[in-house]
């Protein structure tokens, strides 16, 4: 009885939030604060004079699981991992001064981000913000600082831009920031196969109008100077008509530490192909692969997968999308229980998922993202308290940009 009541309440809260936001809507391109009050902090001095911008958003939603698992987890599906519970996923803010790459002179900038909510516990980094909010004070709501870096633009050749500090990874397709993803839920590759953040130095250089390269040295995966230096780099090619692009990225080096996991080598790469079939129909293909020596479960562990995305712009306010994914955890080294109480079994597995969803933006500062997702595990029962090899999620969230 409690599980059904919890599910119904969550859906009612989501619906009420959407109705409330829609009733306050105005048909303009302003943020929510400016639309409702007429005040834009970025147009005030000294922010405008200094070229500084601040912004953010709040995203809240519910991942409805028709099985109502007793452990309240959606198995290996993360971010929206809690079943039939309404949560604030992200309360996100940032401050930024972008460098001027057109002025052809030296320039300095910076960016700092802060994230509070249930998504934060998946993006914290070891030895920095992973213990700011302990499980004893809050099991699911955490605080993270996913970015804090300085930017230097050097007028060398076509212009060299360098980040120094802590920043998001360049690997893969999906990202942490909710407004920059079509779907509410995330692919297995993002959660289990790729890093989220790095600490170090990373430079980008446009070779010409078609090719850009990136390279630098970072402290492993999701760590704050806790792991050995790794190479992080990539190359992107874009056609002249900008309808097709291919991005290759790679990270390689030692990971682990002497205290818990002995140092060993890990290498993974990601390839993302993007193509505009028409002006309104867009396709993406992503392939990831990783190899890790002497992991916690095998002498040599591998993981790999393929994701496909097809999105269609129905009109300026409404879009539809499909995501098909396959993730192979060949040695059971990547997919595991995250969070106390999750009964997800480990071990080798193929994870298959199909997601269909909508993006509806009745105004520029509000986005609603309903979706239906089906997951299937081929070798171990990874869902419904470890009792089922598949599950169906009916989910939705709302994003309000400040």
């Amino acid at each position: 009885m409690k599980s059904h009541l919890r599910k119904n309440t969550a859906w009612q809260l989501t619906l009420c939030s959407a109705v409330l936001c829609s009733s306050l809507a105005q048909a303009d391109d302003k943020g929510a604060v400016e639309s409702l009050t007429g005040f834009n902090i970025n147009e005030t001095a000294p922010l405008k004079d200094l070229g500084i911008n601040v912004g953010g958003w709040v995203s809240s939603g519910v991942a409805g699981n028709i099985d109502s698992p007793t452990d309240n987890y959606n198995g290996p599906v993360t971010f929206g991992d809690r079943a039939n519970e309404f949560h604030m996923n992200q309360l996100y803010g940032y401050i930024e001064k972008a460098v001027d790459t057109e002025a052809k002179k030296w320039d300095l900038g910076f960016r700092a981000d802060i994230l509070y909510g249930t998504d934060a516990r998946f993006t914290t980094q070891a030895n920095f913000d992973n213990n700011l909010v302990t499980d004893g004070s809050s099991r699911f709501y955490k605080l993270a600082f996913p970015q804090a870096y300085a930017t230097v633009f050097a007028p060398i050749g076509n212009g060299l831009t360098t980040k120094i500090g802590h920043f998001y990874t360049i690997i893969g397709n999906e990202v942490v920031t909710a407004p920059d993803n079509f779907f509410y839920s995330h692919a297995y590759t993002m959660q289990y196969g790729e890093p989220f953040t790095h600490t170090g130095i990373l430079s980008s250089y446009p070779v010409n109008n078609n090719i850009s390269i990136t390279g630098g040295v970072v402290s492993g995966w999701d760590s704050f100077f806790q792991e050995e230096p790794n190479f992080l780099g990539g190359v992107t090619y874009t056609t002249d008509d900008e309808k097709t692009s291919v991005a290759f990225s790679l990270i390689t080096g030692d990971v682990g530490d002497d205290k818990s996991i002995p140092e060993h080598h890990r290498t993974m790469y990601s390839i993302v192909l993007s193509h505009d079939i028409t002006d309104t129909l867009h396709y993406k293909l992503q392939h990831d692969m990783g190899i890790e020596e002497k992991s916690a479960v095998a002498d040599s562990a591998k993981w790999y997968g393929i994701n496909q995305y097809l999105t269609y712009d129905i009109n300026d306010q409404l879009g539809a999308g499909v995501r098909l994914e396959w993730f192979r955890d060949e040695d059971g080294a990547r997919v595991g229980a995250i969070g106390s109480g999750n009964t997800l079994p480990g071990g080798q597995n193929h994870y298959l998922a199909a997601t269909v969803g909508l993006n509806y933006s009745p105004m520029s500062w509000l986005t609603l993202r309903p979706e239906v997702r089906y997951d299937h595990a081929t070798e171990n029962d990874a869902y419904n308290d470890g009792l089922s090899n598949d599950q169906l999620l009916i989910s939705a969230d709302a994003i309000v940009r400040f």
Side-chain angles (χ1 to χ4, degrees):
M1 179 63 70
K2 287 185 178 180
S3 61
H4 292 294
L5 177 62
R6 183 171 56 248
K7 177 167 61 175
N8 291 337
T9 302
W11 278 105
Q12 290 168 0
L13 287 170
T14 302
L15 179 60
C16 289
S17 297
V19 171
L20 176 61
C21 291
S22 296
S23 67
L24 296 174
Q26 297 182 17
D28 53 39
D29 294 331
K30 302 175 183 178
V33 173
E34 186 177 5
S35 293
L36 299 176
T37 68
F39 174 74
N40 184 349
I41 190 173
N42 291 318
E43 293 298 322
T44 63
L47 293 186
K48 188 174 182 180
D49 295 336
L50 296 174
I52 295 176
N53 283 287
V54 298
W57 58 84
V58 58
S59 65
S60 299
V62 58
N65 191 324
I66 64 174
D67 292 325
S68 295
T70 56
D71 68 356
N72 297 330
Y73 278 96
N74 292 320
V77 175
T78 57
F79 284 79
D81 63 329
R82 296 292 292 173
N84 307 323
E85 296 178 0
F86 181 83
H87 284 289
M88 183 184 71
N89 305 113
Q90 296 186 5
L91 177 59
Y92 202 104
Y94 66 87
I95 180 170
E96 178 183 35
K97 180 186 181 298
V99 293
D100 186 354
T101 60
E102 303 296 329
K104 303 301 181 183
K105 63 180 182 180
W106 287 85
D107 195 14
L108 299 176
F110 66 88
R111 174 155 175 150
D113 298 35
I114 185 171
L115 166 60
Y116 177 76
T118 57
D119 285 1
R121 58 198 167 101
F122 302 108
T123 63
T124 57
Q125 51 274 359
N127 201 37
F128 183 53
D129 57 10
N130 57 326
N131 291 317
L132 290 177
V133 180
T134 64
D135 289 344
S137 57
S138 177
R139 286 181 62 195
F140 306 118
Y141 285 80
K142 304 295 183 181
L143 180 67
F145 295 89
Q147 296 200 115
Y149 63 84
T151 310
V152 180
F153 176 77
I156 301 172
N158 295 326
L160 182 69
T161 304
T162 302
K163 294 180 181 179
I164 305 170
H166 187 68
F167 40 80
Y168 284 124
T169 190
I170 62 171
I171 293 176
N173 177 49
E174 297 186 17
V175 294
V176 172
T177 47
D180 300 314
N181 298 295
F182 187 92
F183 295 100
Y184 176 38
S185 66
H186 283 288
Y188 288 101
T189 52
M190 178 196 176
Q191 176 60 61
Y192 298 107
E194 305 167 354
F196 288 97
T197 61
H198 307 284
T199 303
I201 181 169
L202 190 67
S203 297
S204 300
Y205 182 80
V207 178
N208 52 41
N209 292 333
N210 305 103
I211 300 173
S212 63
I213 56 176
T214 302
V217 178
V218 298
S219 175
W221 294 37
D222 306 310
S223 78
F224 192 73
F225 297 113
Q226 191 177 28
E227 296 184 348
E228 294 295 317
N230 280 213
F231 170 78
L232 174 66
V235 58
T236 301
Y237 173 79
T238 304
T239 58
D240 289 335
D241 59 10
E242 299 184 347
K243 291 185 176 181
T244 305
S245 66
V246 179
F248 172 83
S249 53
L250 174 142
I251 183 170
T252 183
D254 288 338
V255 295
D257 57 71
D258 295 334
K259 296 180 181 179
S260 57
I261 303 174
E263 291 183 1
H264 55 280
H265 198 83
R266 179 194 293 159
T267 298
M268 74 85 51
Y269 69 80
S270 179
I271 302 172
V272 179
L273 167 67
S274 302
H275 178 63
D276 294 335
I277 300 173
T278 68
D279 290 340
T280 56
L281 187 62
H282 316 284
Y283 174 75
K284 285 189 177 182
L285 173 67
Q286 176 182 353
H287 164 58
D288 282 12
M289 182 171 181
I291 301 173
E292 182 172 343
E293 300 174 356
K294 297 180 180 180
S295 72
V297 299
D299 287 338
S300 181
K302 295 180 181 179
W303 62 95
Y304 41 89
I306 294 176
N307 299 343
Q308 296 186 81
Y309 305 78
L310 187 66
T311 58
Y312 177 65
D313 304 325
I314 299 173
N315 54 45
D316 291 340
Q317 295 179 317
L318 182 64
V322 178
R323 178 181 60 202
L324 302 175
E325 57 176 303
W326 162 62
F327 183 72
R328 171 58 167 163
D329 190 6
E330 185 174 294
D331 301 284
R334 301 305 302 175
V335 180
I338 299 178
S340 175
N342 191 343
T343 55
L344 167 67
Q348 305 171 3
N349 226 329
H350 293 270
Y351 296 92
L352 307 172
T355 308
V356 295
L358 297 173
N359 268 207
Y360 177 52
S361 298
M363 66 289 299
S364 61
W365 52 268
L366 172 64
T367 302
L368 307 177
R369 299 188 297 177
E371 68 172 47
V372 178
R373 171 174 177 150
Y374 174 75
D375 290 86
H376 178 75
T378 63
E379 299 180 37
N380 294 313
D381 292 337
Y383 311 100
N384 192 20
D385 307 315
L387 301 175
S388 177
N389 66 352
D390 64 357
Q391 74 178 2
L392 182 67
L393 301 179
I394 303 174
S395 309
D397 80 327
I399 304 171
V400 176
R401 300 170 184 82
F402 303 145

